[in-house]
């Protein structure tokens, strides 16, 4: 089934949008917290953003409620990640009856293939920098462990977030042309910050000795980071958290940690830490701290924005893997 077939609009297609009355903010709904932050940055004072999957919450296994359908029904525009992240969204759109534009923020991103949950020798999921095969074609493929599925976590490569921001800018300008210049200016200013962030990411990875550039995380959410920046990520789960790693998967990754002398195991903010604590305990690897993969932290946390999330992850990697 083509994901969101007939429902999601590409930016090149048009559908009459319900413009906000003069003086009122555009009502935007974003599917999850990272995307919501990007929409807030570009929209600024002219956009009120509601997020369906909030901070420290997992978009993979989200179960929408009638209240979420109401949020979509009241929106002027909806932003989604695409790439199969929001497998629940087509049903939610139908339930809401909304006819407003749905912008796929990842349109234009070159996706990488998701690793089949059942195709890995030994059970673990291994991303080495630059070692991904590319999944061409549609951005509307569903996830779920199929051979042609793509990895939805494109925001882990800063270059892809520039594409997200451009799509958000164009989507907002289409439903609110009166403030198009403001959206362009905000997107341009944020892109400068993304350029600085990407330079910081590359510098941080360069400080880590090559033999230490191996990391264990709960699920396979860092494939784009790995391909772009050269860290190697291992995970007992695939790209989705819908199903837990089996005892065989856990045992295999413990053996791999011991064999490859992987220095650190990282906890994810959206995952139960007990499995990773078991892996660290039985493998001898130390817990390197918490990283943020699929969701921001709460407002008082260290990863309340996309920029803060990436910097927080860099600090965790640097503290655990770089020389003292």
């Amino acid at each position: 089934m083509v994901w969101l077939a007939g429902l999601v609009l590409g930016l090149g297609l048009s559908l009459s949008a319900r413009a906000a009355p003069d003086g009122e903010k555009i009502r935007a709904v974003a599917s999850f917290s990272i995307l919501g932050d990007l929409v807030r940055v570009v929209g600024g004072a002219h956009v009120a953003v509601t997020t369906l999957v909030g901070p420290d919450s997992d978009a993979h296994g989200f179960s929408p409620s009638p209240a979420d359908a109401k949020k979509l029904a009241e929106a002027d525009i909806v932003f989604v990640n695409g790439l199969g992240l929001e497998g629940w969204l087509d049903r939610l759109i139908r339930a809401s009856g909304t006819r407003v534009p749905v912008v796929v923020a990842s349109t234009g991103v070159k996706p990488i293939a998701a690793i089949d949950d059942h195709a890995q020798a030994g059970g673990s999921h291994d991303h080495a920098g630059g070692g991904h095969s590319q999944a061409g074609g549609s951005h509307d493929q569903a996830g779920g462990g199929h051979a042609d599925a793509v990895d939805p976590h494109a925001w882990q490569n800063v270059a892809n977030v520039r594409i997200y921001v451009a799509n958000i800018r164009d989507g907002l300008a289409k439903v609110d042309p009166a403030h198009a210049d403001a959206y362009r200016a905000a997107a341009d200013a944020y892109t400068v910050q993304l350029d600085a962030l990407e330079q910081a990411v590359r510098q941080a990875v360069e400080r880590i000795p090559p033999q230490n550039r191996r990391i264990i995380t709960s699920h396979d959410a860092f494939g784009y980071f790995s391909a772009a920046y050269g860290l190697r990520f291992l995970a007992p789960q695939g790209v989705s958290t819908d199903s837990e790693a089996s005892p065989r998967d856990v045992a295999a990754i413990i053996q791999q940690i011991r064999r490859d002398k992987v220095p650190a195991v990282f906890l994810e903010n959206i995952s139960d830490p007990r499995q990773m604590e078991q892996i660290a305990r039985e493998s001898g690897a130390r817990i390197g701290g918490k990283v943020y993969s699929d969701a921001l932290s709460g407002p008082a946390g260290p990863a309340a924005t996309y920029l803060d999330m990436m910097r927080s992850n860099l600090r965790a990697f640097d503290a655990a893997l770089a020389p003292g």
Side-chain angles (χ1 to χ4, degrees):
M1 180 183 71
V2 177
W3 184 70
L4 292 182
L7 290 173
V8 172
L9 296 176
L11 286 174
L13 301 178
S14 62
L15 182 70
S16 57
R18 184 179 58 211
D22 290 343
E24 292 190 14
K25 295 183 178 183
I26 294 295
R27 295 163 294 183
V29 170
S31 58
F32 71 121
S33 60
I34 295 170
L35 186 56
D37 175 61
L38 300 178
V39 176
R40 287 187 186 94
V41 168
V42 177
H46 305 297
V47 177
V49 182
T50 300
T51 300
L52 297 177
V53 185
D56 292 317
S57 298
D58 184 3
H60 292 286
F62 180 65
S63 296
S65 68
D68 295 313
K70 183 179 179 182
K71 292 173 185 176
L72 261 63
E74 295 175 347
D76 299 306
I77 188 169
V78 177
F79 293 92
V80 304
N81 183 77
L83 300 176
L85 178 68
E86 304 100 339
W88 38 266
L89 191 61
D90 54 348
R91 298 184 301 275
L92 182 61
I93 289 176
R94 285 197 296 268
S96 72
T98 186
R99 298 291 295 166
V100 302
V102 180
V103 176
V104 181
S106 65
T107 298
V109 165
K110 188 174 184 180
I112 63 176
I115 297 178
D116 191 313
D117 287 354
H118 306 291
Q120 294 302 300
S124 64
H125 304 262
D126 183 352
H127 278 297
H132 300 285
S133 60
Q134 297 298 322
S138 172
H139 295 292
D140 295 337
Q141 293 171 331
H146 299 294
D148 61 350
V150 297
D151 184 340
H153 306 91
W155 59 86
Q156 291 292 346
N157 180 346
V158 178
N160 289 338
V161 177
R162 296 189 191 98
I163 296 173
Y164 280 46
V165 167
N167 288 332
I168 293 167
R169 173 201 65 203
D170 294 346
L172 290 174
K174 188 168 290 187
V175 298
D176 185 23
H179 296 113
D181 288 344
Y183 301 139
R184 281 192 289 269
D188 289 347
Y190 191 68
T191 298
V192 172
Q193 296 184 66
L194 292 174
D195 292 343
L197 174 64
E198 184 158 42
Q199 183 177 6
V201 171
R202 296 190 183 281
Q203 290 172 346
V205 173
E206 287 175 2
R207 287 195 297 270
I208 300 171
Q211 67 273 18
N212 282 2
R213 295 176 188 174
R214 295 165 297 173
I215 292 173
I216 308 292
T217 56
S218 305
H219 85 294
D220 199 9
F222 290 91
Y224 289 89
F225 190 102
S226 178
Y229 308 119
L231 285 183
R232 179 183 176 193
F233 289 82
L234 305 169
Q237 286 178 284
V239 296
S240 175
T241 58
D242 286 344
S243 60
E244 293 186 1
S246 69
R248 178 175 174 268
D249 294 333
V250 173
I253 208 163
I254 289 171
Q255 291 175 359
Q256 188 166 3
I257 293 170
R258 291 170 176 166
R259 182 181 67 244
D260 295 346
K261 297 181 173 58
V262 178
V265 169
F266 289 85
L267 310 178
E268 291 183 43
N269 66 318
I270 63 165
S271 300
D272 187 331
R274 289 175 294 182
Q275 182 183 84
M276 299 305 288
E277 289 167 350
Q278 174 198 350
I279 290 172
R281 185 170 59 251
E282 296 185 17
S283 69
R286 68 183 179 279
I287 293 179
K290 179 183 289 187
V291 292
Y292 296 83
S293 57
D294 292 37
L296 302 177
S297 69
T305 69
Y306 173 75
L307 296 176
D308 287 343
M309 179 191 80
M310 296 296 285
R311 292 174 184 137
S312 178
N313 288 348
L314 285 181
R315 287 193 297 271
F317 297 155
D318 186 74
L321 305 176

